[in-house]
Every structure is written in structure tokens, then in C-alpha cells.
Amino acid sequence: MRFSSSVGREKSRGAALRRRPGQLVIVGFVGAIAVGTLLLLLPVSAAGEPASFMEALFTATSAVCVTGLIVTDTPVFWSGFGQAVILVLIQLGGLGVMTVASLLGVLVSRRLDLSSRLVAAASTRTVGLGDVRRTLVRVVVIAFVVEAAVALVLTVRFAVAYDERLGLALWHGVFHAVSAYNNAGFALFSLSLMDFVADPWICLPIAAATIIGGLGLPVILELLRERRRPARWSLHTKITLLMTGFLLVGGTGFFLVTEWDNAATMGALDTGGRVLASFTQSVQARTAGFNSLNTGEMHTETWLGTIILMFIGAGSAGTAGGIKVTTFAVLAVVIWSELRGDPDASAFDRRISLATQRQALTLALLAVAMVVLPSLWMTALSPFQVDEILFEVTSAFTTTGLSTGITAQLAWYHQVVLCVLMFVGRLGPITLGTALVLRARGRLYRLPESAPIIG
């Protein structure tokens, strides 16, 4: 009995230690949103009348949670200072507040204590504590390299093709590169990318940054390390790359079919322009949020398909949201295995653990609840249709940022709900739930097994 009590206490202490980093990450994100809100409330942040509290809070939350939903016209309402604040918030949110803080600690002290390593591991999804320092440096280096490359291409294009002053072209290039890599979707053009719908030198670099940022850090690091030995790629990397390619191709084909003759979107474009616009939308619908087509004028069936793409999202441990492609793939494999009567769910000659299957099911069902319940409540208390509300709620929870155009028209309490959804969607339902658990439960026994009738 004494031995069992000792084991129980050790497990409780270990659970508390693992839970603490998640709580600190939440505190970090809340702090960043609070500071961002205060900065955006300053008169110098607005181009005209100072922002209201709701406008500042919503914008700060959307930036830190790398969503892109807006209640004000970013290039018109916010001054250069306000836009710079938004840019910094996007970068902090994309890299992770605690990742940045831990990196600064490494640069200053050249070492991390155990607590700091746990915080950084929770923020970057690092597996081994010994790899945290190296991972933190790689996070920033990869982000800055991709952002710099995309910013260079965009700057040249804005300056040469659109006759922008070099300073303005550079600002536009940097802002959109950072926004794209972090899957934020904030744009310094009132129509987002609609004015560049047929310009591959604008749409493709932004799409490339979006895809890279959405793959997730583990996949990027593994591709760099094992780029010449695909056979050694992990199951996670294989699933992420396969699902990313499948969704990009499938999404492109979907938008081509549903919007081909829509005069309000791509109907006036030539074949090449339609393919480019469809590919851009396919990329951005998976939690990035830029739009080169008028989302509000799309067909209802296109909205439904976009909602599905937003809900799935992109890769784990990256800048994208959604339930993640690996979660979707695991659930698909489980269903296929059950239909075939296989005792194990497997992919690429690897058996998927029961713990992973349970995590995928839990995350998916929590995500469904986080989308359906607010949609029901907001539909009952607003003049908008259920498809419009469902689109906005899904966009907020999956940190996508696409909108049918009703965000700014929603009541303030509905906008608060969207802020909460963006926050939960950025951190992940399981991360948030684990951090808020007051007490971890451990069992030293298992109950007898039984099987209720299914179906």
C-alpha cells in the first residue's frame, strides 16, 4: 500500500509538470493579445478615429491566433504603426509566444533550465527535451528564410509590374510574406488578392509560403534531414505529404467545377486564370485566409466544400489550424480498417496505436462541437442564414480567416464568441483542455470489459 501511494504521488507530480507548460503557453498568448489590444487602442495606430475596444481586441486576437478575420479594412483603417503592430503579432503568434521567449533566453544565457525546456517543447511539439534549443533556432531560421525569399519576389513584382515605390513595395512584400508563411491571411489590399487573381508572380509565392508554413515543423525538419532518403521518412511525414497533395489537387478540381461559370468569381477569366485562381483558393482555404476570388459571391456548394477544407486544415505543429490532415487521415484509416474487418488500423506498413486513434477521435468530436454549438446559437440570434454563420464560425475555429463578408456586421457578443473560437482553435482543444484540468486522475486498475450494440 505504501509503495502504491508513492507511485501515485510520483504520477501526480509528473502530470502536474507536464500540464504547467500548457498553462504558460496559454498565459503567453493571452498576454500577447492583451498587449496587442492596448497598442491598437492608441490613437497613433488608427489612420482616422481611434479604434474601439472591440475593434482592437478582435484584430489583436485574429493576428496573434494567425486567423485573418477582420472587422475593419486593414489598409484603410489602420495606420502604418497599426499595421506594423499587426505584423509583429502575426509573427509572434505564428512562431509561438513561448518559442520566441525561450529563444531569447537561449541567446542571452546560452542555456535553458528544465522548466523553460518544457515550455518550449509544449509550444513547438518537440519530442525530446535535449533537442529544444536546436529546434528553437531552426524554427526562427526556417521562418525568416522562407519569408525573406517570398518577400523578395513580391517586392520586385510590386515595384516592376505595379509601379509601387520601392519602400511601399518592400513593405507590401514583407507584410504579405510574413502573413502567408504564418497562415494569417491579413492583407494590405482591401480586396485581399482579388486584384492579382491572374498574376502567378503574386499568387504562387504566397501559396508556396502558405504550404511550407502549413506542413508543420516536424515535417520540414525531416525533409531537410532526409531529403535524399524518402524511405526513412516517418509515418507522420508520409501522411502529411500525401494528404497535402491530395487536398491541393482535389481542392483545385473542386473549385474549377463549382465556380467555372460563375461570372461573379472566375467566369471572366481564361482557362489559365481559372486554374490559378482555383489552386490559390485550394491552398488558402486550408487555414491561410487570403482570397483571390470573391468569397461572398461563391455558390453555396462552394461554401460547403470550403468549410470541409477549412475544417481539415493542414499539418500538425505548424502555423495552420483545423483538426489537421493527420487527424483526418487516421480517422479515415480507422474507418477503412473497420469496414474491411482488419484487427489493426495501419498505414505505410505501420500500425497506428490505439492511443493515437483515441486522440484523433477526441479532437475531431471536440472540433465538431466547437463549430456546431456556436453556429446554432449565433443563427438563432442573428439575421444571417445558417450557411453564412457556419462558414464564419468554422473559419474562426480553424484560424482560416476567409469570410462571406458578415464578420463586421455581427453583434459585439457574436464577435466575442469568434475571438474565443480563434483562441481555442489556435491552441488546440486538447491543449487547452489539458491545461485547464484541475486534477489529473490515475487508475491502478481496469474495469471489466463489455460491448454495447453499435448501429
Side-chain angles (χ1 to χ4, degrees), residues 128-428:
L129 292 178
D131 297 331
V132 172
R133 182 186 303 177
R134 187 183 311 164
T135 299
L136 290 175
V137 175
R138 288 176 176 177
V139 167
V140 177
V141 170
I142 292 172
F144 286 168
V145 168
V146 174
E147 291 168 356
V150 174
L152 177 61
V153 175
L154 294 179
T155 298
V156 173
R157 186 61 175 176
F158 285 134
V160 174
Y162 298 96
D163 296 323
E164 291 187 355
R165 303 187 317 273
L166 182 59
L168 180 61
L170 179 61
W171 173 238
H172 282 167
V174 170
F175 189 98
H176 292 91
V178 173
S179 184
Y181 177 77
N182 291 288
N183 279 227
F186 277 89
L188 294 183
F189 303 101
S190 298
L191 297 178
S192 190
L193 301 183
M194 289 173 59
D195 290 334
F196 314 104
V197 60
D199 189 342
W201 290 99
I202 298 295
C203 292
L204 291 183
I206 289 178
T210 300
I211 294 171
I212 294 173
L215 285 176
L217 181 64
V219 173
I220 295 175
L221 293 180
E222 188 165 358
L223 290 178
L224 292 176
R225 185 175 61 251
E226 305 288 353
R227 55 185 178 275
R228 296 182 180 178
R229 294 176 290 186
R232 299 184 61 177
W233 289 350
S234 65
L235 177 61
H236 172 78
T237 295
K238 291 177 180 178
I239 289 178
T240 301
L241 293 178
L242 177 64
M243 289 301 301
T244 298
F246 173 77
L247 291 174
L248 287 177
V249 174
T252 301
F254 170 78
F255 284 109
L256 277 173
V257 171
T258 59
E259 294 295 315
W260 182 272
D261 293 325
N262 189 345
T265 55
M266 66 172 68
L269 300 174
D270 58 20
T271 301
R274 290 174 180 177
V275 173
L276 177 60
S278 297
F279 175 75
T280 302
Q281 286 300 124
S282 178
V283 173
Q284 304 305 327
R286 293 176 50 242
T287 84
F290 291 105
N291 63 286
S292 61
L293 299 175
N294 191 338
T295 307
E297 295 295 332
M298 290 180 175
H299 296 309
T300 304
E301 58 268 27
T302 308
W303 282 357
L304 179 59
T306 303
I307 288 172
I308 294 174
L309 290 174
M310 292 192 296
F311 189 78
I312 296 174
S316 301
T319 57
I323 65 171
K324 305 298 190 298
V325 292
T326 45
T327 303
F328 181 79
V330 167
L331 293 177
V333 168
V334 170
I335 293 173
W336 178 244
S337 299
E338 187 65 28
L339 291 176
R340 295 182 59 187
D342 292 339
D344 297 317
S346 59
F348 295 102
D349 298 323
R350 290 293 184 271
R351 179 169 52 87
I352 299 174
S353 68
L354 290 177
T356 300
Q357 297 176 39
R358 290 175 59 182
Q359 291 170 2
L361 179 61
T362 301
L363 177 58
L365 291 180
L366 284 175
V368 169
M370 292 299 297
V371 168
V372 172
L373 296 180
S375 296
L376 290 174
W377 179 70
M378 292 176 64
T379 301
L381 298 178
S382 73
F384 301 106
Q385 299 297 315
V386 64
D387 52 358
E388 296 173 302
I389 294 295
L390 181 62
F391 193 100
E392 301 295 314
V393 169
T394 305
S395 181
F397 175 72
T398 59
T399 68
T400 303
L402 290 175
S403 173
T404 60
I406 68 172
T407 307
Q409 304 173 47
L410 293 171
W412 68 268
Y413 44 87
H414 289 156
Q415 293 176 358
V416 170
V417 171
L418 294 183
C419 286
V420 173
L421 290 173
M422 288 188 285
F423 184 81
V424 174
R426 178 65 182 98
L427 296 179

Side-chain angles (χ1 to χ4, degrees), residues 14-209:
L17 186 61
R18 290 191 299 269
R19 193 166 64 243
R20 177 174 165 77
Q23 293 173 337
L24 292 178
V25 170
I26 291 175
V27 171
F29 271 84
V30 170
I33 292 173
V35 172
T37 301
L38 293 177
L39 290 175
L40 292 177
L41 282 172
L42 297 175
V44 69
S45 295
E49 290 294 322
S52 66
F53 176 77
M54 194 63 234
E55 290 170 337
L57 174 64
F58 193 95
T59 303
T61 303
S62 183
V64 172
C65 297
V66 291
T67 304
L69 282 177
I70 56 175
V71 291
T72 60
D73 189 349
T74 304
V76 175
F77 185 87
W78 301 107
S79 65
F81 177 82
Q83 294 170 14
V85 169
I86 293 172
L87 181 65
V88 172
L89 294 178
I90 290 173
Q91 190 74 86
L92 288 175
L95 297 181
V97 174
M98 290 302 156
T99 302
V100 175
S102 298
L103 178 61
L104 293 177
V106 172
L107 296 177
V108 172
S109 64
R110 293 293 182 179
R111 63 185 300 274
L112 283 175
D113 57 20
L114 179 59
S115 177
S116 297
R117 291 187 181 189
L118 286 171
V119 172
S123 183
T124 61
R125 305 296 197 276
T126 307
V127 176
L129 292 178
D131 297 331
V132 172
R133 182 186 303 177
R134 187 183 311 164
T135 299
L136 290 175
V137 175
R138 288 176 176 177
V139 167
V140 177
V141 170
I142 292 172
F144 286 168
V145 168
V146 174
E147 291 168 356
V150 174
L152 177 61
V153 175
L154 294 179
T155 298
V156 173
R157 186 61 175 176
F158 285 134
V160 174
Y162 298 96
D163 296 323
E164 291 187 355
R165 303 187 317 273
L166 182 59
L168 180 61
L170 179 61
W171 173 238
H172 282 167
V174 170
F175 189 98
H176 292 91
V178 173
S179 184
Y181 177 77
N182 291 288
N183 279 227
F186 277 89
L188 294 183
F189 303 101
S190 298
L191 297 178
S192 190
L193 301 183
M194 289 173 59
D195 290 334
F196 314 104
V197 60
D199 189 342
W201 290 99
I202 298 295
C203 292
L204 291 183
I206 289 178

